[in-house]
Amino acid sequence: PEVDGYTATEKCDYLYGSGIDQPIIIAITGHSGEDSKQKALNTGMNMMIVKPCSPDKLKVICEKIGFLNSNFGDDDDDCDIDD
């Protein structure tokens, strides 16, 4: 990648501001420390997921933010996510 997640988040914040069009940004990381979480949130990320993340947990998170409807996983076309 050309930039890390923090830089990409800052660019999104610059481009979209705090308006309704601003994307939801979720950090997916292997770092579980409180300092990593604070850095992600302070940069403008909305949430942080620590790897490994089970497909069930990812589904719940996506439903919570409105990204998926409750029928996710019922179609054969859905992607499988390995632990």
Side-chain angles (χ1 to χ4, degrees):
E2 293 182 28
V3 297
D4 62 29
Y6 301 112
T7 303
T9 300
E10 289 169 347
K11 287 184 178 196
C12 284
D13 189 46
Y14 175 77
L15 290 173
Y16 295 99
S18 60
I20 194 147
D21 292 332
Q22 184 178 21
I24 295 171
I25 301 172
I26 302 172
I28 301 178
T29 181
H31 303 284
S32 62
E34 186 62 31
D35 56 333
S36 295
K37 181 178 181 179
Q38 275 310 124
K39 183 175 181 181
L41 296 175
N42 290 342
T43 303
M45 296 179 188
N46 301 90
M47 183 182 298
M48 185 174 120
I49 299 171
V50 178
K51 298 185 279 188
C53 181
S54 73
D56 289 336
K57 183 176 180 180
L58 188 58
K59 177 184 172 190
V60 168
I61 291 166
C62 289
E63 287 174 343
K64 183 177 179 178
I65 62 172
F67 186 71
L68 298 173
N69 62 35
S70 60
N71 296 325
F72 179 74
D74 293 344
D75 295 337
D76 291 335
D77 295 336
D78 291 327
C79 296
D80 292 327
I81 302 168
D82 297 329
D83 281 336

